[in-house]
Amino acid sequence: SACSVSCGPGISERTRSVAVAAAHGGKECSAEDMLYEKKYCSYPTCPVDCEMTDWTDWALCSVTCGGKSDRSRLVKTVALYGGKECVGASSEERDCEHAECPVDCSYGDWTAWQSCSTSCGLGSQKRERVVRLEPSHGGAPCTGDLNQMQPCTEKPCPVDCTFQDW
C-alpha cells in the first residue's frame, strides 16, 4: 500500500496469500516466507500552521472616567515548513465603559476694551467674553461675568469762561 501519510513519518503495509498450494510432493511454502510486510516510510516534514493563544482578559481601566483598556494574545505555535502564518492582531484597545468625564465650563479670552463712551470727561468702557465650553457630565458651572465695565476719561472737557453776577 502507499504510505499512510502525505508528510512526515508513516507506515506502508502489504499482504500476500499463497497463490498455489503445494501438491503431489511439491515444495511447501515455508513459514519464513512472508505473507505480511510492514515498512516505515517518510515524506518531507509536515507544514505546521501558526496558532495563537486565547485573548487575555481586558485590563482594568486606570481612571474612573474615560480612559482605555487593552488585552493581548501571544503566538503559541510558530508557522513552520510552509504552514499558514498567524492572522490578526496580537493586541486590542477599547474605550473604557465608565461614565463620561466631567467637563467644566470654560470662557474665551476677553475682547479688547471698547472706546470710551464720552469724548471728554468721565465715561465708561466695556469688554466682553463668551462661554467657549458649556459644562457637561457634572462639570463645574460657569461663574463670573460675561461683560466688564470700567470708568474712563479721554481728556478733560473744555470749560468756558463765565462771569459772576454783579
Side-chain angles (χ1 to χ4, degrees):
S1 71
C3 192
S4 61
V5 295
S6 59
C7 62
I11 297 172
S12 175
E13 300 175 287
R14 64 183 182 172
T15 60
R16 65 182 177 176
S17 57
V18 175
V20 176
H24 313 291
K27 182 179 174 193
E28 293 286 331
C29 293
S30 81
E32 292 151 16
D33 290 329
M34 296 193 320
L35 297 177
Y36 172 79
E37 182 179 64
K38 178 179 186 180
K39 292 193 301 184
Y40 292 100
C41 51
S42 182
Y43 287 106
T45 306
C46 297
V48 177
D49 293 339
C50 174
E51 190 178 353
M52 303 285 278
T53 62
D54 290 334
W55 286 102
T56 60
D57 291 335
W58 286 102
L60 295 175
C61 288
S62 59
V63 293
T64 57
C65 67
K68 300 275 185 194
S69 175
D70 62 2
R71 67 180 184 167
S72 61
R73 61 184 180 167
L74 302 171
V75 174
K76 184 173 16 176
T77 306
V78 177
L80 296 170
Y81 313 115
K84 295 177 187 170
E85 294 294 327
C86 289
V87 177
S90 59
S91 65
E92 290 181 331
E93 185 178 78
R94 70 176 181 186
D95 292 332
C96 292
E97 296 177 5
H98 295 297
E100 294 289 328
C101 293
V103 176
D104 296 338
C105 171
S106 125
Y107 291 106
D109 293 333
W110 286 103
T111 61
W113 287 102
Q114 295 175 355
S115 300
C116 194
S117 61
T118 59
S119 59
C120 69
L122 185 60
S124 63
Q125 60 186 162
K126 172 180 164 183
R127 69 179 183 171
E128 302 171 326
R129 64 180 175 174
V130 295
V131 173
R132 184 178 48 175
L133 193 58
E134 293 286 347
S136 60
H137 311 293
C142 298
T143 57
D145 297 325
L146 293 176
N147 300 307
Q148 285 184 335
M149 300 287 282
Q150 74 177 9
C152 58
T153 304
E154 289 293 319
K155 60 182 178 184
C157 289
V159 178
D160 293 335
C161 175
T162 57
F163 292 101
Q164 289 182 343
D165 289 339
W166 294 101

